[in-house]
C-alpha cells in the first residue's frame, strides 16, 4: 500500500488497497502463523482492503476485507496504551495483543 505524501503514521484514516506488484508476498507469513495451505492459496488470489479510522491519537479502528474469496472480514480496535487485551480472529482464533506508538 502506498500512502499520499500528506499522510503520516499518526493520521492514516482512509481506504487502502494492497498493491500486490509493489508488496512482498504475505503467504509465507501466514504459513509461519499456522494458517492452512488452502486458506493461504485463497488469500494469495484475493484483493485486500483496509478501512481505517483514527477517532483520536490514541486509538485506531481497522476493518480488513478480502474480495474474491469467502474469507471473513476482520474488525479490530487498537487502543495505543500498551495494555494486553484479549481478542478473537476468524483465522487465528483467540488472541492476545497490545499496541503503542514507538
Amino acid at each position: 500500500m502506498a500512502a499520499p505524501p500528506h499522510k503520516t503514521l499518526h493520521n492514516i484514516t482512509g481506504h487502502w488497497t494492497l498493491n500486490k506488484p509493489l508488496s512482498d508476498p504475505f503467504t509465507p507469513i501466514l504459513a509461519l502463523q499456522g494458517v492452512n495451505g488452502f486458506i493461504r492459496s485463497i488469500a494469495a488470489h484475493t484483493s485486500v482492503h483496509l478501512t481505517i479510522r483514527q477517532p483520536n491519537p490514541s486509538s485506531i479502528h481497522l476493518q480488513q476485507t478480502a474480495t474474491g474469496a469467502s474469507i471473513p472480514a476482520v474488525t479490530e480496535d487498537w487502543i495505543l496504551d500498551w495494555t494486553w487485551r484479549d481478542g478473537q480472529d476468524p483465522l487465528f482464533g483467540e488472541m492476545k495483543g497490545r499496541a503503542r506508538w514507538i
Side-chain angles (χ1 to χ4, degrees):
M1 293 181 205
H6 66 280
K7 289 292 182 181
T8 69
L9 282 179
H10 293 281
N11 178 14
I12 55 174
T13 296
H15 301 283
W16 304 87
T17 301
L18 178 66
N19 186 334
K20 287 188 181 182
L22 296 178
S23 301
D24 291 329
F26 57 87
T27 51
I29 301 300
L30 295 176
L32 287 172
Q33 294 174 328
V35 175
N36 75 44
F38 179 70
I39 298 294
R40 290 195 314 265
S41 67
I42 290 173
H45 299 294
T46 63
S47 295
V48 178
H49 306 277
L50 298 176
T51 300
I52 301 173
R53 259 186 318 110
Q54 283 185 264
N56 59 60
S58 63
S59 64
I60 297 173
H61 175 84
L62 180 141
Q63 182 175 22
Q64 177 180 312
T65 56
T67 57
S70 58
I71 298 173
V74 175
T75 300
E76 298 179 24
D77 287 304
W78 298 343
I79 300 170
L80 306 172
D81 63 0
W82 207 233
T83 299
W84 286 102
R85 291 182 174 76
D86 295 324
Q88 181 70 27
D89 185 272
L91 287 179
F92 303 113
E94 292 184 24
M95 305 184 319
K96 230 184 209 326
R98 60 185 180 171
R100 69 176 175 182
W101 290 115
I102 56 170

